[in-house]
Amino acid sequence: MNRIQKIGASVLYALVLFVPAAWAQSLPDFTGLVADVSPAVVNVSATRTAETMMRNGANAPQLDDDDIPEIFRRYFGQPGAPVQPRDSTSLGTGFIISADGYVLTNHHVIDGADEVVLRLADRRELDAEVVGSDPATDIALLKIEATGLPVVKIGDSDALQPGQWVVAIGSPFGFDHSVTAGVVSATGRPSMDQSQQYVPFIQTDVAINRGNSGGPLLNTAGEVVGINSQIFSNTGGFMGVSFAIPVETAMNSVKQLKSKGYVSRGLLGVRIQDLTRDLARSLGLPRTGGALVFALEPGGAAEKAGVKVRDVILAFDGTELARSSQLPPLVGATEPGSRATLTVYRDGKELQIPVTVGEAERDSSGPAAPANADAAAGNALGIVVEDIAPAQREALGLDDEQGVVIARVVGAPGRRAGLSAGDIVLMVGKTAVATAAQFNAAVKGATPGEPVMLLVRSGQQTQFVAVMPDADD
């Protein structure tokens, strides 16, 4: 090996030693953060008595004779006897937000509990009163009789960015004050549970398991930026996708629970969906952002303001919408009765529509088989529709002005659009259709390569669907 080769080898060896060391030095050290915050984190134990569970419909199960081996029949009673229900206890986490004993956790941790006990970091166990809870944001406010308690610092969840380090402290499977860390994967995620549409969830890869619920999600400054609430899992265990409620959302609920015992939130009275490329094209919209209105609540704030079906809400009070799921949290956080401005796209124009925000309420079956009628012929959309009998129309809550049922999907356009037999078509473009003849007349002029917008009710869901006719249909 010549001198140059020796020098190169020495440099390479030094880099091999230096780079991992440099990487290690750049990683955050959470020991100080954990020491500061842990005293304000509590274990939550919520007990539901057997009597309460029976009163709420949790009937004792019956056992068949074949289910009980002989040895169990001898020692544990005869078959057919009811199994006596037992008290049930669920575990979760919470954190102290004021020195006089207010504690924040998840609604689902204490829901239906007869007794809630908090175990503090100093091992004291204190009974907690449920001041109030809000299922829509999964927030519960508790109160214990104590003073001089350690408290967490509240941070700014709006400032979170994907890639930012975050830390969780909780009690997974009852292991108190367990610490896990990861990064923010995304912000503003919609919930898969429609009852929590008002929460723009923080997605992280922090390990969260049963018992972590209600615990704090912290930034590197040791400030609470979220409340750990959900995981996405095929197994029931952690799989790298966890969700936390932004602390801004939680503290808004806390303020109202303290002042009036419940949470009120704004309501527009619209049903909305995302825009696909084909839907945007059919509306003449140059992009797919915004929230497409497919239904209006009669007498609701939006209808009173002049919003129409097929409008695309591009912004709420100056905040642009990239996805329809962004609208409910914005409206929900708006005080009922206040004024806001909707930026709406309609017929090629942007409109500014002032609206007085309504108030959401505090805390059906799908379509039946189509009525017997003469089936309409297939059309450019590849579907066959039929009229709906009057009795069936009444059962489905349809007026006489709209609604035909899809009897069969016979062509590729309908199948590509996800249409199915039993779906109800309410409108073709801007035209309401109430008979098969009206439907076929409305789609007769469909142009190959130009999407046709249908308003479709499938089960309990109603939304616009863009169907692209084939050139040879």
Side-chain angles (χ1 to χ4, degrees):
M1 180 181 293
N2 60 36
R3 183 175 158 98
I4 295 178
Q5 288 174 322
K6 287 181 180 180
I7 293 173
S10 298
V11 171
L12 180 61
Y13 180 69
L15 286 173
V16 169
L17 294 178
F18 173 77
V19 171
W23 283 348
Q25 290 177 359
S26 69
L27 294 175
D29 181 355
F30 300 121
T31 54
L33 178 158
V34 173
D36 289 342
V37 177
S38 288
V41 179
V42 303
N43 176 274
V44 181
S45 176
T47 301
R48 298 156 183 82
T49 64
E51 291 78 11
T52 297
M53 289 188 289
M54 290 289 287
R55 191 165 55 247
N56 291 337
N59 296 322
Q62 301 288 329
L63 296 181
D64 295 329
D65 183 60
D66 291 340
D67 295 330
I68 306 177
E70 177 62 29
I71 189 170
F72 289 113
R73 284 202 298 271
R74 289 182 187 176
Y75 291 102
F76 296 100
Q78 295 301 312
V83 177
Q84 294 302 315
R86 300 178 180 178
D87 292 355
S88 171
T89 300
S90 63
L91 300 178
T93 306
F95 52 94
I96 304 169
I97 59 174
S98 68
D100 58 350
Y102 282 100
V103 176
L104 200 55
T105 188
N106 282 149
H107 164 80
H108 75 259
V109 171
I110 57 85
D111 186 25
D114 298 282
E115 181 184 55
V116 179
V117 177
L118 305 187
R119 184 166 68 246
L120 278 59
D122 61 10
R123 314 311 293 172
R124 282 185 292 169
E125 294 192 1
L126 301 175
D127 291 334
E129 170 197 358
V130 178
V131 177
S133 66
D134 180 38
T137 52
D138 197 19
I139 292 298
L141 182 64
L142 311 178
K143 180 70 168 64
I144 53 176
E145 294 301 322
T147 57
L149 295 171
V151 299
V152 298
K153 292 181 290 185
I154 302 299
D156 182 6
S157 52
D158 290 341
L160 282 178
Q161 298 291 328
Q164 186 174 334
W165 282 98
V166 280
V167 177
I169 304 177
S171 304
F173 308 108
F175 296 110
D176 292 3
H177 291 82
S178 295
V179 180
T180 51
V183 297
V184 175
S185 304
T187 58
R189 290 292 198 207
S191 174
M192 291 173 288
D193 182 354
Q194 282 299 306
S195 67
Q196 292 183 334
Q197 62 176 322
Y198 298 106
V199 181
F201 281 97
I202 304 162
Q203 180 188 334
T204 76
D205 69 349
V206 178
I208 300 297
N209 285 291
R210 190 157 38 92
N212 274 111
S213 291
L217 184 73
L218 308 153
N219 61 19
T220 52
E223 300 167 333
V224 177
V225 290
I227 297 92
N228 297 310
S229 177
Q230 301 178 3
I231 62 172
F232 180 81
S233 174
N234 292 326
T235 64
F238 172 70
M239 295 184 69
V241 183
S242 305
F243 297 95
I245 302 158
V247 75
E248 302 281 349
T249 302
M251 295 310 292
N252 178 54
S253 296
V254 166
K255 180 181 178 181
Q256 296 191 58
L257 290 173
K258 272 188 177 182
S259 63
K260 53 190 178 185
Y262 64 90
V263 177
S264 60
R265 50 180 52 86
L267 182 72
L268 277 183
V270 294
R271 297 185 68 184
I272 54 177
Q273 67 179 89
D274 283 333
L275 276 88
T276 64
R277 183 176 63 178
D278 287 343
L279 285 173
R281 181 179 171 185
S282 66
L283 290 167
L285 194 63
R287 59 186 180 88
T288 58
L292 174 61
V293 177
F294 66 82
L296 293 165
E297 178 184 320
E303 185 183 64
K304 289 179 180 178
V307 176
K308 298 180 179 180
V309 172
R310 287 173 49 95
D311 281 353
V312 180
I313 301 174
L314 301 176
F316 177 81
D317 233 13
T319 301
E320 291 190 6
L321 306 178
R323 302 177 302 275
S324 64
S325 60
Q326 293 176 276
L327 183 60
L330 291 171
V331 177
T334 304
E335 184 177 355
S338 61
R339 298 278 288 179
T341 300
L342 302 178
T343 303
V344 170
Y345 179 87
R346 179 190 299 165
D347 296 332
K349 299 177 181 179
E350 283 193 16
L351 308 175
Q352 301 297 318
I353 300 179
V355 59
T356 300
V357 177
E359 182 174 4
E361 290 185 5
R362 301 196 295 268
D363 300 285
S364 77
S365 60
N372 291 327
D374 294 332
N379 47 60
L381 306 189
I383 57 176
V384 174
V385 302
E386 295 180 346
D387 295 343
I388 301 177
Q392 189 180 17
R393 185 178 292 278
E394 182 179 355
L396 292 171
L398 298 172
D399 56 34
D400 294 334
E401 301 299 321
Q402 58 181 185
V404 292
V405 68
I406 297 178
R408 297 188 305 280
V409 179
V410 296
R415 286 192 292 268
R416 284 197 304 266
L419 299 175
S420 302
D423 289 350
I424 295 174
V425 179
L426 303 172
M427 297 178 68
V428 178
K430 299 180 181 180
T431 305
V433 290
T435 66
Q438 290 175 354
F439 174 86
N440 285 292
V443 302
K444 186 175 182 180
T447 303
E450 291 293 331
V452 176
M453 182 182 290
L454 305 181
L455 182 60
V456 178
R457 175 172 159 184
S458 180
Q460 295 182 343
Q461 184 177 14
T462 303
Q463 63 180 359
F464 280 108
V465 176
V467 185
M468 183 73 72
D470 285 339
D472 56 352
D473 278 345

